[in-house]
Amino acid sequence: MASPKITVIGTGYLGATHAAAMAELGFDVLGLDISPEKIATLERGEAPMYEPGLDELLRKHVAGHEGASGRLRFTTSYAEVGEFGDVHFICVNTPQKHGEYACDMSYVDAAVESLAPHLTRPALVVGKSTVPVGSADRLAARLAELAPAGEEAELAWNPEFLREGFAVQDTLHPDRLVVGVRSERAEQLLREVYATPVAEGSPFIVTDFPTAELVKTSANSFLATKISFINAMAEVCEAADGDVVKLAEAIGHDDRIGKKFLRAGIGFGGGCLPKDIRAFMARAGELGASEALSFLREVDSINMRRRAQMVELTREAVGGSLLGKRVGVLGATFKPDSDDVRDSPALNVAGQLHLQGAQVTVYDPKGLENARAIFPTLGYADSAIGAVRGADVVLHLTEWREFKELDPAELGEAVATRHVLDGRNTLDPALWRKSGWTFRALGRPTA
Ligand code: UGA
């Protein structure tokens, strides 16, 4: 039997990566986005965001590029997608609703409703977006109602676990594949699609719809909890003059705890963890299970407190009032190797300082354009040295490698006062102190 033809609906972070990865695995792929600009960018072989390795993968496969496999094409037409595909991946985003905890399902609903009328022959629609548990059940009913193929147009749920900055690697070599299915046929089709990663060792876990949906939200909740746990320990270390970095290293040696995701600092941000734990709490409330997730409220508040503590440390560093003080900020994105500033703790701290009267200048290797777009009133510089020139205090807020490699002696020549605050706990205190800097970090002793 010929390989299934694949479509990917929504070509943002998840979709653009998934489409390119599917082409890399040897499938013919058609990507759809409602934004013609995004499609034009992808057709040029460029990712719509900064993601290491993705531009290369696109150029390797997007039709029309010299030497490309031609297996990857893009369109804005649902009719074309319906005609082309056997397996349709829904990769649109599910942001937090404005002013509410719940997640906004309108893009997923619109994708299913736009695609369904074009499904005239057997097809599998596979949801990858992060959704509240129960959504797949509801969408399956909607699909059966709207698709001319009726029951031959089936739904499956296959959550995605990729991390920004590692999206290509995580998609091609997933640490597990989870599929929620209702038929043998759906399972077989997905086994075919993922045959290569499964042959290379990725576990393939078959389950029902609600469990598949819950695996995703519970995994992100666990990660968020782990970060807030270590940040809570940072608060205690601050009170007791302990060192959270040593503490994390020491508890991480216990295999049951593990070393990863125990880096204390200004906390988690981005387009996933914060909104996912909130949407999970909102959904649990609807299901009458809010008590089960009440700890997530604490996880969220510990996380937000760390940003406030960074602002407080900055105020202390400049003598009690931020008014007119110059603050040099290193980092704007929510994590390194990304240009994403959505719910970025770094940008949030910079913004709070600005609103309290400080003169803030931000530098980030990849995030400046996005930061400027959402926070145009902050000052921006195109280098680390430019951001810290004349500064009364320097804040390290996103742990780009470039910042770890900075020469504190050289930076010291540019600032007004050698005072640095590490919000990510990746700078070496001894190195900075040696060059005459006053070094403070969240959850670490003052000297
Ligand atoms: C997260 C999950 O890690 C992915 O598995 C998931 O697929 C994805 O969300 C999603 O739902 O799509 P991502 O948002 O790319 O991935 O970022 P993470 O690497 O999880 O980092 C999230 C935030 O936590 C960042 O702001 C990071 O700086 C912070 N963090 C991470 C810490 O503060 N400390 C740590 O030890 C680790």
Side-chain angles (χ1 to χ4, degrees), residues 3 5 15 22 58 82 164 171 190 196 199 244 266 309 314 368 381 406 430 439 446:
S3 289
K5 288 201 168 17
M22 288 291 120
L58 286 166
E164 294 190 19
T171 309
L190 286 167
T196 304
V244 75
I266 53 171
Q309 173 66 1
T314 313
L368 285 183
L406 285 170
F439 184 100
T446 36

Coordinates of all heavy atoms in Angstrom, one line a residue, residues 3 5 15 22 58 82 164 171 190 196 199 244 266 309 314 368 381 406 430 439 446:
S3 N 2.3 5.0 0.8 CA 2.3 5.7 2.1 C 1.2 6.7 2.2 O 0.8 7.3 1.2 CB 3.6 6.6 2.2 OG 4.7 5.8 2.3
K5 N -0.8 10.1 2.7 CA -0.4 11.5 2.4 C -0.9 12.3 3.6 O -1.9 12.1 4.2 CB -1.1 11.9 1.2 CG -0.5 11.3 -0.1 CD -0.9 12.2 -1.3 CE -0.2 11.9 -2.6 NZ 0.5 10.6 -2.7
G15 N 3.2 23.1 14.1 CA 2.8 22.7 12.7 C 4.0 22.8 11.8 O 4.2 21.8 11.0
M22 N 7.7 15.4 9.1 CA 7.0 14.4 8.3 C 7.6 14.2 6.9 O 7.7 13.1 6.4 CB 5.5 14.7 8.2 CG 4.7 14.6 9.5 SD 4.6 12.8 9.9 CE 5.3 12.8 11.5
L58 N 13.5 22.8 6.3 CA 12.5 23.3 5.3 C 13.1 23.3 3.9 O 12.5 22.8 3.0 CB 12.0 24.6 5.7 CG 11.0 24.7 6.9 CD1 10.8 26.1 7.5 CD2 9.6 24.1 6.6
G82 N -8.3 18.7 2.0 CA -9.2 17.6 2.0 C -9.0 16.7 0.9 O -9.0 15.4 1.1
E164 N 10.5 24.1 22.7 CA 11.1 25.1 21.8 C 12.6 25.1 22.0 O 13.2 24.8 23.1 CB 10.6 26.5 22.2 CG 9.1 26.6 21.9 CD 8.5 28.0 22.0 OE1 9.3 29.0 22.0 OE2 7.3 28.1 22.1
T171 N 10.8 16.2 17.6 CA 9.8 15.7 16.7 C 10.3 14.5 15.9 O 9.6 13.5 15.7 CB 9.4 16.8 15.7 OG1 9.0 18.0 16.4 CG2 8.2 16.4 14.9
L190 N -1.5 5.4 12.4 CA -0.5 6.1 13.2 C 0.7 5.3 13.4 O 1.8 5.9 13.4 CB -1.1 6.6 14.5 CG -2.1 7.8 14.3 CD1 -3.0 8.0 15.6 CD2 -1.4 9.1 13.9
T196 N 9.2 5.0 11.7 CA 10.7 5.3 11.8 C 11.1 5.6 13.3 O 11.9 4.9 13.8 CB 11.1 6.4 10.9 OG1 10.7 6.1 9.6 CG2 12.6 6.7 10.9
A199 N 10.8 2.4 15.3 CA 11.9 1.5 15.0 C 13.2 1.9 15.7 O 14.0 1.1 16.1 CB 12.1 1.4 13.5
V244 N 20.6 27.4 46.9 CA 19.6 26.6 46.2 C 20.3 25.8 45.1 O 19.9 24.7 44.7 CB 18.4 27.4 45.7 CG1 18.8 28.2 44.5 CG2 17.3 26.4 45.4
I266 N 14.0 33.0 37.9 CA 12.8 33.9 37.8 C 11.6 33.1 37.3 O 10.5 33.6 37.0 CB 13.0 35.2 37.0 CG1 13.6 34.9 35.6 CG2 13.9 36.1 37.8 CD1 13.6 36.1 34.7
Q309 N 10.3 39.1 43.2 CA 11.5 39.1 44.0 C 12.7 39.6 43.2 O 13.5 40.3 43.8 CB 11.8 37.6 44.5 CG 13.1 37.5 45.2 CD 13.2 38.2 46.6 OE1 12.2 38.8 47.0 NE2 14.3 38.1 47.3
T314 N 16.4 44.2 42.6 CA 17.0 45.3 41.8 C 16.8 46.6 42.5 O 17.7 47.4 42.6 CB 16.2 45.3 40.4 OG1 16.1 44.0 39.9 CG2 16.9 46.2 39.4
L368 N 14.8 40.4 20.2 CA 14.5 41.9 20.2 C 13.3 42.3 19.4 O 12.5 43.1 19.9 CB 15.8 42.6 19.7 CG 17.0 42.6 20.7 CD1 18.1 43.5 20.1 CD2 16.5 43.2 22.1
A381 N 19.0 47.5 23.0 CA 20.4 47.7 22.5 C 20.7 46.4 21.6 O 20.1 45.4 21.8 CB 21.4 47.8 23.6
L406 N 30.4 36.0 28.6 CA 30.8 37.4 28.7 C 32.0 37.5 29.6 O 32.1 36.8 30.6 CB 29.6 38.2 29.3 CG 28.5 38.5 28.4 CD1 27.3 39.1 29.2 CD2 28.9 39.4 27.3
A430 N 32.0 33.4 41.4 CA 33.4 33.6 41.7 C 34.0 34.4 40.6 O 34.8 35.4 40.9 CB 34.1 32.3 41.9
F439 N 27.8 40.5 43.4 CA 27.0 39.5 42.7 C 25.9 38.9 43.6 O 26.2 38.5 44.7 CB 27.9 38.3 42.3 CG 27.3 37.2 41.5 CD1 27.4 37.2 40.1 CD2 26.5 36.2 42.1 CE1 26.8 36.2 39.3 CE2 25.9 35.2 41.3 CZ 26.1 35.2 39.9
T446 N 24.5 35.9 49.9 CA 24.9 37.2 49.4 C 26.4 37.2 49.0 O 26.8 38.0 48.2 CB 24.5 38.3 50.3 OG1 24.7 37.9 51.6 CG2 23.1 38.7 50.1

